[in-house]
């Protein structure tokens, strides 16, 4: 391969100096050369991918027809241009326009691919990351509200929980210098609206019962976390799309674990402390706060002050103390909604 590389370098040296990502493959589409721009953009080093198939970056987000058309052209040694949605080594999507040109060198056919990142073009030529997140969030919102359609009042609760989650995540990230990525914080915010979808399967007589629940009724209520995950799993099974894979992973943690308690006395698995997924610990606080400060047919609303006092009292018991501190700071500086 070293002799092949040295020989090819003399033919493709000028092309490899392009600012765009460049890849050279043999007739079987195995990688022979890549340029510095390719390494910088994708994160893959030439020494690690020489000899591997060029499809190393491939995702399911590129339509199958695109690959069919590409192969049809290359099989007869004709140039081809198209659009790919690939994945970098770090997991980020990379949208690019590519032109592949066949070269004949010493009776051997090679293909030179030149990638132009679509992120550099005007919006509208491809599905950018912000648009992806909007679609993800919108879908989860519709699913959550659809599961709770029998109770019109619940929609406002779900939206408030989502808004409060965004406030708390941003504040906690800043106060503790966690340097959480925008992608992850967006996933948490989008997922928070799904936290109670499992309640759609709980009988109304139990779900909206005023006063205390009988032990068997409490057991039924507590099943909503695992029912919710079952609903989510079925939804994802139908979509089977990488576009929502990570989004549903975070949503699953929120749905299944938002009733776990810091001291290990929650449900369904009695997880304790940091064993509880971070996103579930966040939603746990805002869910309780909004439930307390909202009037429902079976309960009166609490004042903000009374709700905050309870949350502080439950710090280290029900809730993660550091998250409580961040939430209380939102109350203290007036970032939470004022009492009506």
């Amino acid at each position: 391969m070293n002799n092949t590389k040295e020989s090819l370098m003399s033919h493709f040296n000028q092309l490899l100096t392009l600012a765009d990502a460049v890849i050279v493959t043999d007739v079987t589409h195995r990688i022979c050369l890549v340029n510095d721009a390719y390494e910088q953009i994708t994160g893959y080093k030439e020494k690690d991918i020489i000899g591997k198939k060029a499809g190393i970056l491939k995702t399911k987000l590129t339509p199958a027809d695109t690959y069919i058309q590409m192969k049809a052209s290359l099989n007869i040694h004709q140039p081809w241009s198209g659009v790919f949605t690939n994945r970098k080594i770090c997991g980020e999507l990379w949208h690019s326009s590519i032109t592949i040109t066949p070269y004949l060198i010493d009776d051997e056919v090679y293909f030179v691919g030149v990638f132009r990142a679509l992120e550099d073009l005007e919006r509208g030529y491809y599905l950018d990351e912000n648009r992806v997140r909007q679609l993800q969030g919108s879908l989860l919102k519709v699913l959550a509200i659809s599961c709770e359609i029998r109770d019109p009042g619940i929609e406002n609760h779900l939206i408030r929980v989502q808004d409060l989650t965004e406030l708390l995540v941003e504040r906690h990230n800043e106060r503790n210098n966690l340097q959480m990525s925008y992608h992850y914080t967006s996933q948490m915010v989008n997922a928070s609206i799904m936290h109670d979808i499992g309640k759609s399967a709980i009988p109304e007589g139990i779900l909206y019962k005023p006063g205390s629940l009988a032990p068997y009724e409490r057991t039924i209520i507590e099943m909503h976390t695992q029912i919710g995950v079952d609903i989510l799993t079925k939804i994802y099974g139908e979509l089977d799309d990488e576009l929502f894979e990570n989004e549903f992973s975070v949503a699953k943690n929120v749905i299944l674990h938002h009733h776990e308690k810091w001291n290990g006395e929650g449900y369904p698995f009695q997880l304790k402390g940091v064993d509880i997924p971070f996103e579930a610990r966040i939603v746990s606080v805002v869910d309780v706060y909004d439930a307390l400060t909202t009037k429902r047919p079976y309960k009166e609303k609490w004042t903000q002050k009374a709700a905050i006092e309870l949350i502080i009292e439950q710090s280290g018991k029900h809730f993660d103390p550091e998250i409580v501190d961040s939430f209380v700071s939102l109350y203290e500086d007036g970032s939470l909604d004022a009492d009506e």
Side-chain angles (χ1 to χ4, degrees):
M1 182 63 70
N2 287 335
N3 291 334
T4 301
K5 177 180 176 180
E6 292 172 3
S7 173
L8 291 177
M9 284 290 291
S10 64
H11 293 280
F12 297 117
N13 187 51
Q14 290 299 314
L15 284 172
L16 294 173
T17 63
L18 291 175
D20 295 319
V22 177
I23 182 172
V24 179
T25 73
D26 63 18
V27 73
T28 66
H29 308 294
R30 294 194 178 276
I31 300 171
C32 301
L33 297 170
V34 299
N35 69 345
D36 291 343
Y38 183 96
E39 291 185 333
Q40 292 168 6
I41 292 171
T42 68
Y44 287 95
K45 298 300 182 183
E46 183 183 71
K47 63 183 179 62
D48 297 323
I49 58 173
I50 290 293
K52 293 186 178 180
K53 286 284 190 176
I56 190 172
L57 306 179
K58 185 177 178 181
T59 71
K60 294 179 181 178
L61 302 180
T62 301
D65 284 348
T66 299
Y67 293 109
I68 292 173
Q69 294 167 12
M70 177 191 72
K71 290 178 180 178
S73 293
L74 299 186
N75 283 343
I76 57 174
H77 301 166
Q78 292 296 311
W80 177 86
S81 295
V83 174
F84 284 160
T85 299
N86 288 332
R87 194 177 297 283
K88 303 177 184 180
I89 196 170
C90 65
E92 292 180 3
L93 294 179
W94 175 36
H95 313 84
S96 57
S97 171
I98 181 173
T99 297
I100 303 176
T101 306
Y103 280 77
L104 185 63
I105 300 174
D106 298 331
D107 296 325
E108 297 267 353
V109 175
Y110 293 90
F111 297 112
V112 177
V114 179
F115 295 79
R116 171 65 56 85
L118 291 180
E119 282 82 356
D120 297 334
L121 301 180
E122 290 184 12
R123 182 172 175 160
Y125 285 87
Y126 75 105
L127 194 62
D128 62 76
E129 287 294 326
N130 288 333
R131 182 61 177 152
V132 168
R133 292 189 184 108
Q134 289 172 1
L135 289 172
Q136 291 167 336
S138 296
L139 176 62
L140 295 186
K141 180 177 179 179
V142 169
L143 291 174
I145 293 172
S146 297
C147 287
E148 303 285 356
I149 199 68
R150 60 184 174 170
D151 181 4
I154 203 68
E155 179 177 349
N156 291 330
H157 166 67
L158 297 177
I159 293 172
R160 284 193 302 271
V161 164
Q162 191 170 52
D163 291 342
L164 288 168
T165 296
E166 184 171 13
L167 284 173
L168 180 53
V169 166
E170 290 179 356
R171 176 61 56 84
H172 193 66
N173 194 22
E174 291 171 1
R175 289 182 76 247
N176 295 277
N177 194 28
L178 299 180
Q179 299 183 355
M180 291 184 290
S181 70
Y182 174 70
H183 183 56
Y184 177 48
T185 59
S186 296
Q187 287 178 330
M188 280 190 277
V189 173
N190 287 342
S192 64
I193 202 168
M194 301 283 284
H195 68 282
D196 271 343
I197 63 170
K199 285 186 176 178
S200 60
I202 304 299
E204 292 185 25
I206 296 176
L207 193 59
Y208 305 125
K209 179 182 177 180
S212 59
L213 297 172
Y216 81 92
E217 292 172 326
R218 171 58 58 188
T219 299
I220 292 173
I221 283 282
E222 291 181 359
M223 290 172 61
H224 82 274
T225 56
Q226 296 183 69
I227 292 171
V229 169
D230 184 55
I231 292 172
L232 189 76
T233 300
K234 289 175 180 176
I235 292 170
Y236 178 64
E238 289 295 320
L239 290 174
D240 189 24
D241 194 325
E242 282 189 58
L243 191 62
F244 298 99
E245 185 173 357
N246 292 333
E247 208 78 14
F248 279 118
S249 175
V250 174
K252 180 179 178 180
N253 282 340
V254 169
I255 293 167
L256 189 59
H257 299 299
H258 72 283
H259 284 292
E260 302 284 4
K261 295 184 178 181
W262 187 255
N263 62 8
E265 295 180 2
Y267 66 88
F269 301 123
Q270 294 76 54
L271 298 183
K272 186 176 182 179
V274 295
D275 288 339
I276 304 168
F278 176 75
E279 48 265 36
R281 284 181 269 146
I282 288 282
V283 173
S284 174
V285 173
V286 301
D287 182 35
V288 169
Y289 173 80
D290 189 73
L292 292 173
T293 56
T294 303
K295 179 178 173 58
R296 301 292 287 152
Y298 49 86
K299 64 170 283 294
E300 292 298 320
K301 64 180 286 188
W302 290 30
T303 64
Q304 277 191 331
K305 185 174 184 293
I308 289 294
E309 287 175 349
L310 181 137
I311 287 173
I312 292 172
E313 191 274 328
Q314 287 295 312
S315 178
K317 301 174 186 177
H318 189 151
F319 307 117
D320 179 337
E322 292 185 355
I323 292 176
V324 168
D325 289 344
S326 295
F327 192 71
V328 171
S329 76
L330 290 170
Y331 169 71
E332 291 175 341
D333 68 15
S335 295
L336 302 179
D337 292 336
D339 287 328
E340 295 180 357

